[in-house]
PDB file of all heavy atoms in Angstrom:
ATOM      1  N   PHE P 535      -6.862  14.616 -13.064  1.00 75.00           N
ATOM      2  CA  PHE P 535      -8.021  14.197 -12.256  1.00 75.00           C
ATOM      3  C   PHE P 535      -8.563  15.431 -11.551  1.00 75.00           C
ATOM      4  O   PHE P 535      -7.806  16.143 -10.882  1.00 75.00           O
ATOM      5  CB  PHE P 535      -7.644  13.130 -11.226  1.00 75.00           C
ATOM      6  CG  PHE P 535      -8.794  12.761 -10.326  1.00 75.00           C
ATOM      7  CD1 PHE P 535      -9.810  11.936 -10.790  1.00 75.00           C
ATOM      8  CD2 PHE P 535      -8.907  13.282  -9.044  1.00 75.00           C
ATOM      9  CE1 PHE P 535     -10.887  11.606  -9.981  1.00 75.00           C
ATOM     10  CE2 PHE P 535      -9.980  12.966  -8.229  1.00 75.00           C
ATOM     11  CZ  PHE P 535     -10.975  12.123  -8.703  1.00 75.00           C
ATOM     12  N   GLU P 536      -9.824  15.669 -11.704  1.00 84.00           N
ATOM     13  CA  GLU P 536     -10.457  16.823 -11.061  1.00 84.00           C
ATOM     14  C   GLU P 536     -11.294  16.327  -9.889  1.00 84.00           C
ATOM     15  O   GLU P 536     -12.290  15.626 -10.074  1.00 84.00           O
ATOM     16  CB  GLU P 536     -11.340  17.564 -12.060  1.00 84.00           C
ATOM     17  CG  GLU P 536     -11.942  18.845 -11.459  1.00 84.00           C
ATOM     18  CD  GLU P 536     -12.722  19.644 -12.492  1.00 84.00           C
ATOM     19  OE1 GLU P 536     -12.635  19.323 -13.694  1.00 84.00           O
ATOM     20  OE2 GLU P 536     -13.429  20.585 -12.064  1.00 84.00           O
ATOM     21  N   LEU P 537     -10.858  16.651  -8.692  1.00 89.00           N
ATOM     22  CA  LEU P 537     -11.557  16.216  -7.476  1.00 89.00           C
ATOM     23  C   LEU P 537     -12.886  16.949  -7.353  1.00 89.00           C
ATOM     24  O   LEU P 537     -12.940  18.184  -7.460  1.00 89.00           O
ATOM     25  CB  LEU P 537     -10.678  16.505  -6.261  1.00 89.00           C
ATOM     26  CG  LEU P 537     -11.198  16.022  -4.918  1.00 89.00           C
ATOM     27  CD1 LEU P 537     -11.287  14.485  -4.895  1.00 89.00           C
ATOM     28  CD2 LEU P 537     -10.279  16.504  -3.787  1.00 89.00           C
ATOM     29  N   SER P 538     -13.956  16.203  -7.114  1.00 90.00           N
ATOM     30  CA  SER P 538     -15.276  16.823  -6.938  1.00 90.00           C
ATOM     31  C   SER P 538     -15.984  16.177  -5.762  1.00 90.00           C
ATOM     32  O   SER P 538     -15.721  15.016  -5.404  1.00 90.00           O
ATOM     33  CB  SER P 538     -16.142  16.640  -8.194  1.00 90.00           C
ATOM     34  OG  SER P 538     -16.494  15.266  -8.372  1.00 90.00           O
ATOM     35  N   ALA P 539     -16.902  16.938  -5.168  1.00 91.00           N
ATOM     36  CA  ALA P 539     -17.671  16.410  -4.043  1.00 91.00           C
ATOM     37  C   ALA P 539     -18.537  15.237  -4.473  1.00 91.00           C
ATOM     38  O   ALA P 539     -18.698  14.260  -3.728  1.00 91.00           O
ATOM     39  CB  ALA P 539     -18.524  17.517  -3.442  1.00 91.00           C
ATOM     40  N   GLU P 540     -19.085  15.305  -5.694  1.00 89.00           N
ATOM     41  CA  GLU P 540     -19.949  14.225  -6.176  1.00 89.00           C
ATOM     42  C   GLU P 540     -19.188  12.905  -6.250  1.00 89.00           C
ATOM     43  O   GLU P 540     -19.696  11.864  -5.860  1.00 89.00           O
ATOM     44  CB  GLU P 540     -20.522  14.586  -7.569  1.00 89.00           C
ATOM     45  CG  GLU P 540     -21.525  15.725  -7.555  1.00 89.00           C
ATOM     46  CD  GLU P 540     -20.867  17.090  -7.405  1.00 89.00           C
ATOM     47  OE1 GLU P 540     -19.619  17.192  -7.591  1.00 89.00           O
ATOM     48  OE2 GLU P 540     -21.591  18.052  -7.076  1.00 89.00           O
ATOM     49  N   TRP P 541     -17.963  12.974  -6.744  1.00 87.00           N
ATOM     50  CA  TRP P 541     -17.134  11.770  -6.830  1.00 87.00           C
ATOM     51  C   TRP P 541     -16.761  11.279  -5.440  1.00 87.00           C
ATOM     52  O   TRP P 541     -16.827  10.091  -5.138  1.00 87.00           O
ATOM     53  CB  TRP P 541     -15.861  12.090  -7.641  1.00 87.00           C
ATOM     54  CG  TRP P 541     -14.931  10.922  -7.750  1.00 87.00           C
ATOM     55  CD1 TRP P 541     -14.956   9.932  -8.688  1.00 87.00           C
ATOM     56  CD2 TRP P 541     -13.847  10.605  -6.876  1.00 87.00           C
ATOM     57  NE1 TRP P 541     -13.970   9.016  -8.459  1.00 87.00           N
ATOM     58  CE2 TRP P 541     -13.256   9.426  -7.337  1.00 87.00           C
ATOM     59  CE3 TRP P 541     -13.307  11.217  -5.747  1.00 87.00           C
ATOM     60  CZ2 TRP P 541     -12.166   8.823  -6.724  1.00 87.00           C
ATOM     61  CZ3 TRP P 541     -12.220  10.629  -5.121  1.00 87.00           C
ATOM     62  CH2 TRP P 541     -11.654   9.449  -5.607  1.00 87.00           C
ATOM     63  N   LEU P 542     -16.398  12.202  -4.555  1.00 90.00           N
ATOM     64  CA  LEU P 542     -15.903  11.848  -3.237  1.00 90.00           C
ATOM     65  C   LEU P 542     -16.968  11.117  -2.408  1.00 90.00           C
ATOM     66  O   LEU P 542     -16.684  10.113  -1.735  1.00 90.00           O
ATOM     67  CB  LEU P 542     -15.425  13.110  -2.523  1.00 90.00           C
ATOM     68  CG  LEU P 542     -14.462  12.908  -1.349  1.00 90.00           C
ATOM     69  CD1 LEU P 542     -13.143  12.340  -1.831  1.00 90.00           C
ATOM     70  CD2 LEU P 542     -14.216  14.266  -0.669  1.00 90.00           C
ATOM     71  N   VAL P 543     -18.215  11.629  -2.428  1.00 87.00           N
ATOM     72  CA  VAL P 543     -19.235  11.041  -1.564  1.00 87.00           C
ATOM     73  C   VAL P 543     -19.794   9.741  -2.137  1.00 87.00           C
ATOM     74  O   VAL P 543     -20.550   9.036  -1.474  1.00 87.00           O
ATOM     75  CB  VAL P 543     -20.400  12.032  -1.318  1.00 87.00           C
ATOM     76  CG1 VAL P 543     -19.896  13.291  -0.667  1.00 87.00           C
ATOM     77  CG2 VAL P 543     -21.154  12.339  -2.603  1.00 87.00           C
ATOM     78  N   SER P 544     -19.424   9.395  -3.352  1.00 84.00           N
ATOM     79  CA  SER P 544     -19.968   8.192  -3.991  1.00 84.00           C
ATOM     80  C   SER P 544     -19.100   6.966  -3.781  1.00 84.00           C
ATOM     81  O   SER P 544     -19.416   5.894  -4.283  1.00 84.00           O
ATOM     82  CB  SER P 544     -20.151   8.442  -5.496  1.00 84.00           C
ATOM     83  OG  SER P 544     -18.886   8.576  -6.142  1.00 84.00           O
ATOM     84  N   ARG P 545     -17.990   7.099  -3.032  1.00 82.00           N
ATOM     85  CA  ARG P 545     -17.027   6.006  -2.915  1.00 82.00           C
ATOM     86  C   ARG P 545     -16.629   5.756  -1.467  1.00 82.00           C
ATOM     87  O   ARG P 545     -16.888   6.555  -0.587  1.00 82.00           O
ATOM     88  CB  ARG P 545     -15.775   6.323  -3.749  1.00 82.00           C
ATOM     89  CG  ARG P 545     -16.001   6.133  -5.238  1.00 82.00           C
ATOM     90  CD  ARG P 545     -14.984   6.880  -6.062  1.00 82.00           C
ATOM     91  NE  ARG P 545     -15.068   6.486  -7.470  1.00 82.00           N
ATOM     92  CZ  ARG P 545     -16.011   6.894  -8.308  1.00 82.00           C
ATOM     93  NH1 ARG P 545     -16.954   7.720  -7.868  1.00 82.00           N
ATOM     94  NH2 ARG P 545     -16.023   6.485  -9.564  1.00 82.00           N
ATOM     95  N   SER P 546     -15.963   4.631  -1.281  1.00 81.00           N
ATOM     96  CA  SER P 546     -15.387   4.272   0.001  1.00 81.00           C
ATOM     97  C   SER P 546     -13.880   4.229  -0.165  1.00 81.00           C
ATOM     98  O   SER P 546     -13.371   3.964  -1.264  1.00 81.00           O
ATOM     99  CB  SER P 546     -15.921   2.904   0.454  1.00 81.00           C
ATOM    100  OG  SER P 546     -15.434   2.575   1.725  1.00 81.00           O
ATOM    101  N   PHE P 547     -13.114   4.504   0.918  1.00 86.00           N
ATOM    102  CA  PHE P 547     -11.671   4.667   0.810  1.00 86.00           C
ATOM    103  C   PHE P 547     -10.942   3.909   1.920  1.00 86.00           C
ATOM    104  O   PHE P 547     -11.493   3.667   3.009  1.00 86.00           O
ATOM    105  CB  PHE P 547     -11.293   6.151   0.913  1.00 86.00           C
ATOM    106  CG  PHE P 547     -11.871   6.998  -0.175  1.00 86.00           C
ATOM    107  CD1 PHE P 547     -13.146   7.532  -0.058  1.00 86.00           C
ATOM    108  CD2 PHE P 547     -11.158   7.248  -1.336  1.00 86.00           C
ATOM    109  CE1 PHE P 547     -13.700   8.323  -1.057  1.00 86.00           C
ATOM    110  CE2 PHE P 547     -11.701   8.026  -2.352  1.00 86.00           C
ATOM    111  CZ  PHE P 547     -12.971   8.563  -2.220  1.00 86.00           C
ATOM    112  N   VAL P 548      -9.690   3.584   1.619  1.00 87.00           N
ATOM    113  CA  VAL P 548      -8.745   3.118   2.642  1.00 87.00           C
ATOM    114  C   VAL P 548      -7.970   4.341   3.123  1.00 87.00           C
ATOM    115  O   VAL P 548      -7.494   5.144   2.300  1.00 87.00           O
ATOM    116  CB  VAL P 548      -7.780   2.066   2.076  1.00 87.00           C
ATOM    117  CG1 VAL P 548      -6.740   1.684   3.122  1.00 87.00           C
ATOM    118  CG2 VAL P 548      -8.545   0.839   1.625  1.00 87.00           C
ATOM    119  N   LEU P 562     -13.499   4.244   5.003  1.00 84.00           N
ATOM    120  CA  LEU P 562     -13.700   5.674   5.215  1.00 84.00           C
ATOM    121  C   LEU P 562     -14.675   6.216   4.176  1.00 84.00           C
ATOM    122  O   LEU P 562     -14.593   5.875   2.993  1.00 84.00           O
ATOM    123  CB  LEU P 562     -12.360   6.402   5.090  1.00 84.00           C
ATOM    124  CG  LEU P 562     -12.357   7.869   5.516  1.00 84.00           C
ATOM    125  CD1 LEU P 562     -12.382   7.967   7.034  1.00 84.00           C
ATOM    126  CD2 LEU P 562     -11.126   8.582   4.958  1.00 84.00           C
ATOM    127  N   ARG P 563     -15.607   7.059   4.643  1.00 84.00           N
ATOM    128  CA  ARG P 563     -16.562   7.678   3.722  1.00 84.00           C
ATOM    129  C   ARG P 563     -16.670   9.178   4.009  1.00 84.00           C
ATOM    130  O   ARG P 563     -16.521   9.614   5.159  1.00 84.00           O
ATOM    131  CB  ARG P 563     -17.940   7.024   3.852  1.00 84.00           C
ATOM    132  CG  ARG P 563     -17.990   5.610   3.308  1.00 84.00           C
ATOM    133  CD  ARG P 563     -19.432   5.127   3.194  1.00 84.00           C
ATOM    134  NE  ARG P 563     -20.189   5.931   2.248  1.00 84.00           N
ATOM    135  CZ  ARG P 563     -20.217   5.701   0.941  1.00 84.00           C
ATOM    136  NH1 ARG P 563     -19.505   4.726   0.407  1.00 84.00           N
ATOM    137  NH2 ARG P 563     -20.958   6.463   0.143  1.00 84.00           N
ATOM    138  N   PHE P 564     -16.926   9.930   2.940  1.00 90.00           N
ATOM    139  CA  PHE P 564     -17.135  11.376   3.040  1.00 90.00           C
ATOM    140  C   PHE P 564     -18.610  11.644   2.786  1.00 90.00           C
ATOM    141  O   PHE P 564     -19.121  11.377   1.683  1.00 90.00           O
ATOM    142  CB  PHE P 564     -16.246  12.101   2.030  1.00 90.00           C
ATOM    143  CG  PHE P 564     -14.785  11.899   2.284  1.00 90.00           C
ATOM    144  CD1 PHE P 564     -14.093  10.881   1.631  1.00 90.00           C
ATOM    145  CD2 PHE P 564     -14.117  12.679   3.200  1.00 90.00           C
ATOM    146  CE1 PHE P 564     -12.751  10.672   1.874  1.00 90.00           C
ATOM    147  CE2 PHE P 564     -12.764  12.471   3.462  1.00 90.00           C
ATOM    148  CZ  PHE P 564     -12.076  11.456   2.795  1.00 90.00           C
ATOM    149  N   GLU P 565     -19.299  12.129   3.807  1.00 89.00           N
ATOM    150  CA  GLU P 565     -20.742  12.323   3.708  1.00 89.00           C
ATOM    151  C   GLU P 565     -21.068  13.654   3.042  1.00 89.00           C
ATOM    152  O   GLU P 565     -20.283  14.608   3.086  1.00 89.00           O
ATOM    153  CB  GLU P 565     -21.371  12.269   5.101  1.00 89.00           C
ATOM    154  CG  GLU P 565     -21.056  11.009   5.892  1.00 89.00           C
ATOM    155  CD  GLU P 565     -21.564   9.736   5.241  1.00 89.00           C
ATOM    156  OE1 GLU P 565     -22.447   9.843   4.369  1.00 89.00           O
ATOM    157  OE2 GLU P 565     -21.086   8.645   5.585  1.00 89.00           O
ATOM    158  N   TRP P 581     -14.762  17.575   6.263  1.00 94.00           N
ATOM    159  CA  TRP P 581     -13.953  17.739   5.057  1.00 94.00           C
ATOM    160  C   TRP P 581     -14.492  18.892   4.199  1.00 94.00           C
ATOM    161  O   TRP P 581     -15.652  19.269   4.316  1.00 94.00           O
ATOM    162  CB  TRP P 581     -13.947  16.459   4.230  1.00 94.00           C
ATOM    163  CG  TRP P 581     -15.315  16.079   3.685  1.00 94.00           C
ATOM    164  CD1 TRP P 581     -16.281  15.371   4.322  1.00 94.00           C
ATOM    165  CD2 TRP P 581     -15.848  16.431   2.402  1.00 94.00           C
ATOM    166  NE1 TRP P 581     -17.398  15.242   3.536  1.00 94.00           N
ATOM    167  CE2 TRP P 581     -17.160  15.873   2.341  1.00 94.00           C
ATOM    168  CE3 TRP P 581     -15.375  17.152   1.308  1.00 94.00           C
ATOM    169  CZ2 TRP P 581     -17.977  16.031   1.232  1.00 94.00           C
ATOM    170  CZ3 TRP P 581     -16.196  17.294   0.195  1.00 94.00           C
ATOM    171  CH2 TRP P 581     -17.477  16.730   0.163  1.00 94.00           C
ATOM    172  N   ILE P 583     -13.440  20.690  -0.012  1.00 93.00           N
ATOM    173  CA  ILE P 583     -12.548  20.767  -1.169  1.00 93.00           C
ATOM    174  C   ILE P 583     -12.226  22.242  -1.416  1.00 93.00           C
ATOM    175  O   ILE P 583     -13.114  23.084  -1.478  1.00 93.00           O
ATOM    176  CB  ILE P 583     -13.199  20.148  -2.412  1.00 93.00           C
ATOM    177  CG1 ILE P 583     -13.408  18.643  -2.197  1.00 93.00           C
ATOM    178  CG2 ILE P 583     -12.347  20.378  -3.654  1.00 93.00           C
ATOM    179  CD1 ILE P 583     -14.190  17.980  -3.307  1.00 93.00           C
ATOM    180  N   GLY P 586      -8.928  22.463  -5.490  1.00 89.00           N
ATOM    181  CA  GLY P 586      -8.683  21.145  -6.066  1.00 89.00           C
ATOM    182  C   GLY P 586      -8.074  20.150  -5.104  1.00 89.00           C
ATOM    183  O   GLY P 586      -7.732  19.026  -5.518  1.00 89.00           O
ATOM    184  N   LEU P 588      -8.170  18.160  -1.113  1.00 94.00           N
ATOM    185  CA  LEU P 588      -9.075  17.722  -0.052  1.00 94.00           C
ATOM    186  C   LEU P 588      -8.524  18.155   1.298  1.00 94.00           C
ATOM    187  O   LEU P 588      -7.419  17.755   1.691  1.00 94.00           O
ATOM    188  CB  LEU P 588      -9.237  16.197  -0.091  1.00 94.00           C
ATOM    189  CG  LEU P 588     -10.113  15.580   1.008  1.00 94.00           C
ATOM    190  CD1 LEU P 588     -11.554  16.090   0.936  1.00 94.00           C
ATOM    191  CD2 LEU P 588     -10.078  14.041   0.913  1.00 94.00           C
ATOM    192  N   PRO P 603      -4.735  15.070  -4.959  1.00 88.00           N
ATOM    193  CA  PRO P 603      -5.141  13.869  -5.663  1.00 88.00           C
ATOM    194  C   PRO P 603      -4.161  13.490  -6.779  1.00 88.00           C
ATOM    195  O   PRO P 603      -3.521  14.351  -7.390  1.00 88.00           O
ATOM    196  CB  PRO P 603      -6.502  14.248  -6.243  1.00 88.00           C
ATOM    197  CG  PRO P 603      -6.447  15.726  -6.393  1.00 88.00           C
ATOM    198  CD  PRO P 603      -5.573  16.233  -5.284  1.00 88.00           C
ATOM    199  N   GLY P 604      -4.037  12.197  -6.994  1.00 83.00           N
ATOM    200  CA  GLY P 604      -3.256  11.663  -8.099  1.00 83.00           C
ATOM    201  C   GLY P 604      -3.852  10.335  -8.520  1.00 83.00           C
ATOM    202  O   GLY P 604      -4.799   9.846  -7.903  1.00 83.00           O
ATOM    203  N   LYS P 605      -3.307   9.729  -9.588  1.00 74.00           N
ATOM    204  CA  LYS P 605      -3.859   8.466 -10.074  1.00 74.00           C
ATOM    205  C   LYS P 605      -2.732   7.472 -10.298  1.00 74.00           C
ATOM    206  O   LYS P 605      -1.619   7.832 -10.672  1.00 74.00           O
ATOM    207  CB  LYS P 605      -4.639   8.684 -11.361  1.00 74.00           C
ATOM    208  CG  LYS P 605      -5.902   9.516 -11.187  1.00 74.00           C
ATOM    209  CD  LYS P 605      -6.711   9.618 -12.457  1.00 74.00           C
ATOM    210  CE  LYS P 605      -7.427   8.324 -12.731  1.00 74.00           C
ATOM    211  NZ  LYS P 605      -8.375   8.445 -13.890  1.00 74.00           N
ATOM    212  N   GLY P 608      -5.255   3.724 -12.845  1.00 67.00           N
ATOM    213  CA  GLY P 608      -6.681   4.032 -12.939  1.00 67.00           C
ATOM    214  C   GLY P 608      -7.368   4.252 -11.611  1.00 67.00           C
ATOM    215  O   GLY P 608      -8.552   4.557 -11.558  1.00 67.00           O
ATOM    216  N   ARG P 609      -6.625   4.116 -10.508  1.00 74.00           N
ATOM    217  CA  ARG P 609      -7.218   4.288  -9.182  1.00 74.00           C
ATOM    218  C   ARG P 609      -6.716   5.588  -8.567  1.00 74.00           C
ATOM    219  O   ARG P 609      -5.535   5.920  -8.692  1.00 74.00           O
ATOM    220  CB  ARG P 609      -6.829   3.111  -8.292  1.00 74.00           C
ATOM    221  CG  ARG P 609      -7.961   2.745  -7.366  1.00 74.00           C
ATOM    222  CD  ARG P 609      -7.831   1.413  -6.684  1.00 74.00           C
ATOM    223  NE  ARG P 609      -6.531   0.797  -6.611  1.00 74.00           N
ATOM    224  CZ  ARG P 609      -6.189  -0.032  -5.638  1.00 74.00           C
ATOM    225  NH1 ARG P 609      -7.035  -0.298  -4.678  1.00 74.00           N
ATOM    226  NH2 ARG P 609      -5.019  -0.608  -5.632  1.00 74.00           N
ATOM    227  N   VAL P 610      -7.601   6.304  -7.890  1.00 82.00           N
ATOM    228  CA  VAL P 610      -7.249   7.607  -7.330  1.00 82.00           C
ATOM    229  C   VAL P 610      -6.651   7.436  -5.933  1.00 82.00           C
ATOM    230  O   VAL P 610      -7.171   6.693  -5.103  1.00 82.00           O
ATOM    231  CB  VAL P 610      -8.482   8.515  -7.267  1.00 82.00           C
ATOM    232  CG1 VAL P 610      -8.153   9.806  -6.538  1.00 82.00           C
ATOM    233  CG2 VAL P 610      -8.991   8.810  -8.672  1.00 82.00           C
ATOM    234  N   SER P 611      -5.538   8.127  -5.708  1.00 85.00           N
ATOM    235  CA  SER P 611      -4.943   8.218  -4.373  1.00 85.00           C
ATOM    236  C   SER P 611      -4.804   9.681  -4.021  1.00 85.00           C
ATOM    237  O   SER P 611      -4.545  10.524  -4.899  1.00 85.00           O
ATOM    238  CB  SER P 611      -3.566   7.547  -4.336  1.00 85.00           C
ATOM    239  OG  SER P 611      -3.654   6.164  -4.513  1.00 85.00           O
ATOM    240  N   LEU P 612      -4.938  10.012  -2.740  1.00 89.00           N
ATOM    241  CA  LEU P 612      -4.751  11.377  -2.266  1.00 89.00           C
ATOM    242  C   LEU P 612      -3.703  11.319  -1.172  1.00 89.00           C
ATOM    243  O   LEU P 612      -3.757  10.466  -0.281  1.00 89.00           O
ATOM    244  CB  LEU P 612      -6.058  11.960  -1.729  1.00 89.00           C
ATOM    245  CG  LEU P 612      -7.192  12.105  -2.760  1.00 89.00           C
ATOM    246  CD1 LEU P 612      -8.145  10.935  -2.646  1.00 89.00           C
ATOM    247  CD2 LEU P 612      -7.945  13.405  -2.546  1.00 89.00           C
ATOM    248  N   ILE P 632      -5.175   8.596   1.336  1.00 90.00           N
ATOM    249  CA  ILE P 632      -6.526   8.074   1.155  1.00 90.00           C
ATOM    250  C   ILE P 632      -6.559   7.477  -0.249  1.00 90.00           C
ATOM    251  O   ILE P 632      -6.253   8.178  -1.228  1.00 90.00           O
ATOM    252  CB  ILE P 632      -7.589   9.170   1.305  1.00 90.00           C
ATOM    253  CG1 ILE P 632      -7.600   9.693   2.740  1.00 90.00           C
ATOM    254  CG2 ILE P 632      -8.970   8.641   0.928  1.00 90.00           C
ATOM    255  CD1 ILE P 632      -8.494  10.890   2.955  1.00 90.00           C
ATOM    256  N   GLU P 633      -6.904   6.203  -0.328  1.00 87.00           N
ATOM    257  CA  GLU P 633      -6.891   5.520  -1.615  1.00 87.00           C
ATOM    258  C   GLU P 633      -8.265   4.965  -1.928  1.00 87.00           C
ATOM    259  O   GLU P 633      -8.907   4.347  -1.060  1.00 87.00           O
ATOM    260  CB  GLU P 633      -5.866   4.387  -1.613  1.00 87.00           C
ATOM    261  CG  GLU P 633      -5.722   3.721  -2.975  1.00 87.00           C
ATOM    262  CD  GLU P 633      -4.486   2.841  -3.042  1.00 87.00           C
ATOM    263  OE1 GLU P 633      -4.546   1.720  -2.525  1.00 87.00           O
ATOM    264  OE2 GLU P 633      -3.475   3.297  -3.588  1.00 87.00           O
ATOM    265  N   GLU P 634      -8.703   5.230  -3.143  1.00 81.00           N
ATOM    266  CA  GLU P 634     -10.002   4.720  -3.579  1.00 81.00           C
ATOM    267  C   GLU P 634     -10.053   3.221  -3.389  1.00 81.00           C
ATOM    268  O   GLU P 634      -9.143   2.490  -3.778  1.00 81.00           O
ATOM    269  CB  GLU P 634     -10.216   5.075  -5.054  1.00 81.00           C
ATOM    270  CG  GLU P 634     -11.546   4.634  -5.604  1.00 81.00           C
ATOM    271  CD  GLU P 634     -11.676   4.941  -7.087  1.00 81.00           C
ATOM    272  OE1 GLU P 634     -10.713   5.471  -7.684  1.00 81.00           O
ATOM    273  OE2 GLU P 634     -12.750   4.651  -7.645  1.00 81.00           O
ATOM    274  N   LYS P 635     -11.111   2.760  -2.769  1.00 75.00           N
ATOM    275  CA  LYS P 635     -11.253   1.333  -2.449  1.00 75.00           C
ATOM    276  C   LYS P 635     -12.030   0.640  -3.552  1.00 75.00           C
ATOM    277  O   LYS P 635     -13.136   1.046  -3.899  1.00 75.00           O
ATOM    278  CB  LYS P 635     -11.987   1.182  -1.102  1.00 75.00           C
ATOM    279  CG  LYS P 635     -12.165  -0.251  -0.646  1.00 75.00           C
ATOM    280  CD  LYS P 635     -12.859  -0.249   0.707  1.00 75.00           C
ATOM    281  CE  LYS P 635     -13.144  -1.654   1.159  1.00 75.00           C
ATOM    282  NZ  LYS P 635     -13.860  -1.665   2.436  1.00 75.00           N
ATOM    283  N   VAL P 636     -11.426  -0.406  -4.075  1.00 68.00           N
ATOM    284  CA  VAL P 636     -12.118  -1.247  -5.053  1.00 68.00           C
ATOM    285  C   VAL P 636     -12.563  -2.510  -4.335  1.00 68.00           C
ATOM    286  O   VAL P 636     -11.730  -3.294  -3.865  1.00 68.00           O
ATOM    287  CB  VAL P 636     -11.209  -1.600  -6.234  1.00 68.00           C
ATOM    288  CG1 VAL P 636     -11.938  -2.495  -7.224  1.00 68.00           C
ATOM    289  CG2 VAL P 636     -10.730  -0.320  -6.925  1.00 68.00           C
TER     290      VAL P 636
END
Side-chain angles (χ1 to χ4, degrees):
F535 176 76
E536 184 175 349
L537 185 64
S538 69
E540 291 76 15
W541 179 87
L542 200 65
V543 301
S544 68
R545 285 160 169 76
S546 184
F547 298 86
V548 175
L562 190 75
R563 290 192 63 85
F564 297 94
E565 306 298 342
W581 65 274
I583 295 173
L588 177 62
K605 293 185 75 173
R609 216 166 19 152
V610 174
S611 293
L612 297 98
I632 294 173
E633 185 166 79
E634 182 183 2
K635 181 178 176 182
V636 179

